[in-house]
Amino acid sequence: MSVILETQSLTKRYGQFTAVNDLSLQVEQGAIYGFVGPNGAGKTTTMRMLTTLLRPTAGEAFVAGHSVRRAPQAVRRVIGYMPDFFGVYDDMTVWEYLDFFAACYQIGEAQRQHLINDLLELVDLAHRRDDQVDTLSRGMKQRLCLARTLAHDPQVLILDEPASGLDPRARIEIRELLMELSRMGKTIFFSTHILADVAEICTQVGIVEAGRLVAQGSLAEMQRRLRPHRTLAITLLDRGAEGVQSALFGRDGVLSVRVADQAPQGQAEHAVVEVDFAGDDAAVSALLRELVGAGLPVLRFAETMHDVEDVFMQVTKGIVS
Amino acid sequence: MSDTAATAPHPAVPRPPKRAPRSLRAWLTRNPVVLKELRSRMRGARAFVVLTVYLLLMSAFITLLYTVYLSSNASVYSRPDRMLLGKFVFGGVVGIEALLVCFITPAFTVGAIASERERQTYDLLRTTLLSERALVLGKLVSALSYVLLLLAAALPLQSLAFLLGGVAPEEVFIATLLLMATAFLFSAAGLFFSSLMRRTLGATILTYAFALLTTVGLPVLLFPVALLGPVFSYNTPPLFVQAALVYAFGLLIVMNPVATLIATELVLVNEQTVFYFTTTLYDPVTNNPVVLPLFSPWLPFTLFALAVGGVLVLLAILNVRRIEN
């Protein structure tokens, strides 16, 4: 996989304030890259530099090999940008809105007719073709906005908070649209703070905090790196957690043993023990055999999956610049 | 293509002309901004209501003029009187058009850039391939085309003057030219302030300040200059001071569209010339006559409006910077 979007020590300072600090990231071609971070972390500023709206103070960024500093017009040709607000014109119908932006991308009038129909079909707005833009619902506007970014068939989509402020249905529709676009071969770089989106659709994640990139990679990679061991949750039929503790204490591969404060709901007679364990699948299997062999009443034995929120909480420190 | 042409044994098929003849619509709508602005402007009833109200007001004004004229002692059957009425009708229509051009034209462009900023569509435009020049010129052309429509719609009313007599074709031509030049100047001013300010409100205040200064402020400035005349009449000043005063007065006139219209008409009537005339000054020492060359005010005013308007448009293009710092 080749890198299609790259920043090299990208920095933006406003006087004393550093909005983006020495940020270097790589987005692979065809990836859905989730750019995650708290509000004010510098996500929008980074995107504005990538879309040639803002001049970087230092560092460089390349999109499809074109420098945002030296060849901004070439960058504009290969990106579709959707900001975190929806720019509306009064007195404009849906198709005119797309027609105008397609014309701004130098697409001829004859081709535009066809293109607009295709785009509206793609974002499921064909039935609203002749309606005024300001009568659309928020979710529809967002889909129209997405259609606009596709007018010139760009390779890379840079989307700032595409799902913010949408109701659950509209959010899922946008998410599915992004998957569809990814299947069509687009690289998608989007910022969000909805971690469920990241977990479900992103192939790559970058976490940014106070203008710095604190982690980057696939979600699985990040989980492995952050937690080199696995956590096993062992549910016991009775409250005899001490038996497990004594059985496991000091055993090879066991890093720590904790008795969970609360039993699973409605099962007050059960006890749950969490074990941090370093070992492969065979070792886990052996561990279970030992516990059962020792006569412990094991009801459930499962590995806890760390979700993206754990990862996020672990790599960020709650600093808001 | 050139390779095949060079190696082809038979004479190449004549190429189509580089610029195929285009329709006016195709020419206008090559710029996406013009297309969009015209669509939005002519949408719905608004544009037509404005046009109708404008024509009704103008017709009412002419009717009023006509009634006043009839109630006076003048007679429609007397040729000189009729010519005077013709001049009044023409002058009235052009006067209203001048006011319109001075104070309504800027409103068409004052939101051009600032409102894109306010609606946050400015960022969207800047990430497209649309050039700064196409954006600014598109806004200018679409605003001017509506003004042109308003001026053209008033032509039949202006033509009533021909029915009555007393108005020469030169006057119609010059009046139209002056109005267009003024429209260009004030549209350009609106565009410039729109590109300068973040908000439409700020741009509006500055643009109207500019319009008021050129239309009302300058005539106020004319007074002191005019008052200097009697001061000097007791003691004739040196020749160069006299000449400087004449040109300073002329300069102030040609910076003001309304003064230019009136002065041009005066020159036309008194000097019987459209372009060039002279005035004679006397050297106070030798008492020798010196002939001072002067242009009819419409000529320098048109040049002034085109130059200043052009500079303002250029500055607006420079202000529409694509990449923020």
Side-chain angles (χ1 to χ4, degrees), chain B residues 1-303:
Chain B
M1 280 231 283
S2 56
D3 287 348
T4 40
T7 52
H10 52 80
V13 182
R15 282 189 194 177
K18 262 189 179 171
R19 283 191 179 192
R22 290 167 171 276
S23 65
L24 178 67
R25 183 187 179 278
W27 183 79
L28 274 178
T29 57
R30 215 165 25 151
N31 183 327
V33 180
V34 176
L35 181 61
K36 169 193 152 283
E37 294 284 314
L38 288 183
R39 267 181 190 152
S40 308
R41 179 153 291 140
M42 300 314 281
R43 159 116 350 115
R46 201 181 45 202
F48 302 97
V49 168
V50 167
L51 191 59
T52 311
V53 168
Y54 156 76
L55 288 177
L56 281 177
L57 280 178
M58 198 105 83
S59 313
F61 178 74
I62 290 171
T63 315
L64 188 74
L65 262 183
Y66 191 72
T67 324
V68 166
Y69 174 83
L70 282 188
S71 63
S72 72
N73 288 327
S75 153
V76 201
Y77 303 104
S78 136
R79 192 175 144 75
D81 285 356
R82 216 174 54 222
M83 282 172 69
L84 194 64
L85 176 62
K87 272 201 184 304
F88 270 132
V89 167
F90 179 75
V93 172
V94 171
I96 295 179
E97 285 177 333
L99 278 181
L100 171 99
V101 162
C102 292
F103 293 104
I104 299 185
T105 313
F108 292 142
T109 52
V110 76
I113 313 292
S115 77
E116 297 276 354
R117 290 204 179 101
E118 281 173 335
R119 283 201 219 100
Q120 298 183 305
T121 43
Y122 188 57
D123 280 355
L124 303 183
L125 292 180
R126 287 192 301 150
T127 52
T128 69
L129 303 176
L130 187 76
S131 68
E132 299 90 324
R133 211 181 50 187
L135 174 63
V136 171
L137 292 184
K139 295 279 184 181
L140 181 71
V141 167
S142 62
L144 279 179
S145 61
Y146 191 67
V147 176
L148 189 65
L149 177 69
L150 291 180
L151 292 183
L155 272 179
L157 291 172
Q158 266 185 28
S159 313
L160 279 179
F162 284 122
L163 207 66
L164 298 158
V167 178
E170 292 95 320
E171 290 176 282
V172 179
F173 173 76
I174 291 173
T176 309
L177 185 75
L178 281 179
L179 289 173
M180 285 310 293
T182 311
F184 174 68
L185 175 63
F186 286 122
S187 308
L191 260 181
F192 168 72
F193 290 117
S194 191
S195 71
L196 195 66
M197 305 300 288
R198 290 221 141 263
R199 302 266 151 212
T200 308
L201 185 66
T204 309
I205 292 170
L206 285 179
T207 307
Y208 278 95
F210 175 84
L212 275 174
L213 181 76
T214 30
T215 52
V216 182
L218 287 177
V220 170
L221 277 179
L222 282 176
F223 273 111
V225 180
L227 284 175
L228 284 178
V231 169
F232 285 124
S233 63
Y234 299 107
N235 184 8
T236 318
L239 185 67
F240 75 91
V241 176
Q242 285 185 49
L245 277 176
V246 168
Y247 282 119
F249 193 73
L251 197 66
L252 283 173
I253 285 177
V254 301
M255 285 166 76
N256 179 315
V258 181
T260 303
L261 275 167
I262 296 169
T264 304
E265 179 65 17
L266 286 177
V267 168
L268 205 59
V269 171
N270 296 336
E271 307 285 335
Q272 294 292 314
T273 180
V274 177
F275 298 105
Y276 173 81
F277 64 102
T278 56
T279 186
T280 311
L281 295 177
Y282 292 93
D283 192 320
V285 186
T286 59
N287 219 21
N288 284 340
V290 177
V291 175
L292 218 56
L294 288 168
F295 287 103
S296 181
W298 68 272
L299 212 59
F301 173 82
T302 308
L303 290 178

Side-chain angles (χ1 to χ4, degrees), chain A residues 61-120:
Chain A
F62 298 93
V63 185
H66 305 295
S67 155
V68 295
R69 282 174 180 274
R70 289 191 302 274
Q73 198 71 351
V75 171
R76 289 175 194 132
R77 238 175 249 280
V78 293
I79 57 163
Y81 170 55
M82 182 162 100
D84 57 351
F85 47 82
F86 183 77
V88 215
Y89 289 108
D90 311 323
D91 282 337
M92 224 178 185
T93 62
V94 168
W95 80 268
E96 281 173 355
Y97 185 78
L98 290 179
D99 188 66
F100 171 58
F101 281 101
C104 288
Y105 279 111
Q106 298 168 358
I107 296 162
E109 199 171 0
Q111 290 159 273
R112 294 207 294 267
Q113 294 271 332
H114 199 68
L115 175 75
I116 290 165
N117 290 340
D118 287 353
L119 287 175
L120 288 176

